[in-house]
Structures are given as structure tokens and as C-alpha cells.
Amino acid sequence: MTRVWKWNRPVTVREVLEDLQQERSIAYTTVMTVLDNLHQKGWVRREAEGRAYRYEAVSTRAAYSAALMNDAWSQSDNPAAALVAFFGMMSEEQRHALRDAMRIVQRPEEDLPDAETPAPPEASGEKGDEKPGEKSGENPADNQADNATGNAGEKPGGENPASDRDATGR
């Protein structure tokens, strides 16, 4: 899969073979068998081209990694503790990447395409000196915990205004 993801385009058995042979001796039939197995398992799709097939990844490496992490996390009996332990294993570079990813995921609504413009703080009853996402009289750390557990913006009774939107965010 590494070779298929690396090229990010449909590849032939011969292309993968030639790339692998730069590092080690390997038979054409071995590469063909592995790509066929990946196809049968749904990891790659293939399209006939003459007497050969071109193989293409069904998902990106990032999507595969995310699915693995989600699967491992969802099987934990204590997801919060699992996340704390996972974050503790991260290098400084990985923590920076995590912060960057969180900034992308938690962008304010006004940065999202086709989002309605939020009302100014004085019109919505919020104090002007509050940070976005903070509620009057609440501890900002509580808001961060809500964001981490997916409860941010949730109405009492479990209703979530964000879930009322369709796939375009409207």
C-alpha cells in the first residue's frame, strides 16, 4: 500500500515491482499476488488496461490512519484516559501537528464557507471581552473539556444545533 499511496495514481504490478527491486529482490508474481489480495480485501480498486491491471488506493493513507486511531480509541473502556496516554506519547512535532489540526477543525463559523454571519456580542447578550466559545460566568477549561468530548454547543437535553445542519453546513 505504501507504494500505491506514494504515487497517488493508478499503478501497474510492473511499476511497483521495479520500485521494490531498487531495495530488494522480489518476484513479479509476489507483487501481483499482494495487489490482488489488496483488491479482494477492498483496499485498492483495479481497472483492466490491456492484459494488465492498474491498481488505485480506495482511500488515502491519512484516512486509513484516522480509521485505525478511531477504531482503537472507540474500543477503549476509558476513552479520555486513552487519549491522555496517547497525547503523552507524542513528540513535540506531533503535538504541533495536533494543534494545527485542532485549529482547522475548530475554526470559528465566520471562517467557514457559506456560514451565516454571527450576531455581534452586544446583540447576542454576550460580553464583548469574552473569547469566542466562552460563555458568561463559565470556566474556559470547562469549554475545552466539552470540545474534547464533542459536547460543545450542545443544548440541555442533548440537542445539538450543529447536527441540524445538512452536509453543506446550512
Side-chain angles (χ1 to χ4, degrees), residues 82-153:
L83 283 175
V84 169
F86 179 65
F87 296 154
M89 295 176 195
M90 291 179 154
S91 68
E92 188 62 30
E93 183 178 317
Q94 290 169 323
R95 285 192 294 275
H96 284 293
L98 176 62
R99 281 187 212 103
D100 291 343
M102 292 300 294
R103 275 194 285 275
I104 290 168
V105 171
Q106 295 179 336
R107 287 190 312 189
E109 264 192 40
E110 59 267 14
D111 290 348
L112 297 174
D114 299 319
E116 294 178 17
T117 306
E122 53 275 358
S124 66
E126 294 182 20
K127 294 180 183 175
D129 59 346
E130 291 174 351
K131 294 180 184 173
E134 287 185 17
K135 298 172 190 154
S136 223
E138 290 187 6
N139 183 347
D142 292 339
N143 291 333
Q144 289 173 350
D146 284 346
N147 289 341
T149 60
N151 296 330

Side-chain angles (χ1 to χ4, degrees), residues 3-4 6-7 9-22 26 28 31 35 49 52-55:
R3 307 300 167 149
V4 176
K6 180 175 90 171
W7 286 316
R9 63 172 174 78
V11 296
T12 63
V13 171
R14 177 74 52 199
E15 290 172 319
V16 175
L17 172 73
E18 290 172 358
D19 192 43
L20 288 170
Q21 285 179 332
Q22 293 176 16
I26 189 166
Y28 181 92
V31 176
L35 284 170
E49 185 176 277
Y53 286 108
R54 284 207 172 265
Y55 295 87

Side-chain angles (χ1 to χ4, degrees), residues 10-102:
V11 296
T12 63
V13 171
R14 177 74 52 199
E15 290 172 319
V16 175
L17 172 73
E18 290 172 358
D19 192 43
L20 288 170
Q21 285 179 332
Q22 293 176 16
E23 298 172 13
R24 65 178 189 257
S25 178
I26 189 166
Y28 181 92
T29 54
T30 302
V31 176
M32 184 174 62
T33 299
V34 169
L35 284 170
D36 185 58
N37 289 342
L38 290 170
H39 175 257
Q40 289 178 22
K41 291 179 179 185
W43 288 62
V44 296
R45 62 180 144 259
R46 69 182 180 193
E47 190 171 315
E49 185 176 277
R51 292 177 43 203
Y53 286 108
R54 284 207 172 265
Y55 295 87
E56 183 177 20
V58 170
S59 69
T60 65
R61 182 178 216 144
Y64 171 68
S65 297
L68 282 177
M69 289 186 286
N70 186 56
D71 187 46
W73 183 54
S74 66
Q75 292 181 26
S76 173
D77 60 346
N78 187 343
L83 283 175
V84 169
F86 179 65
F87 296 154
M89 295 176 195
M90 291 179 154
S91 68
E92 188 62 30
E93 183 178 317
Q94 290 169 323
R95 285 192 294 275
H96 284 293
L98 176 62
R99 281 187 212 103
D100 291 343
M102 292 300 294

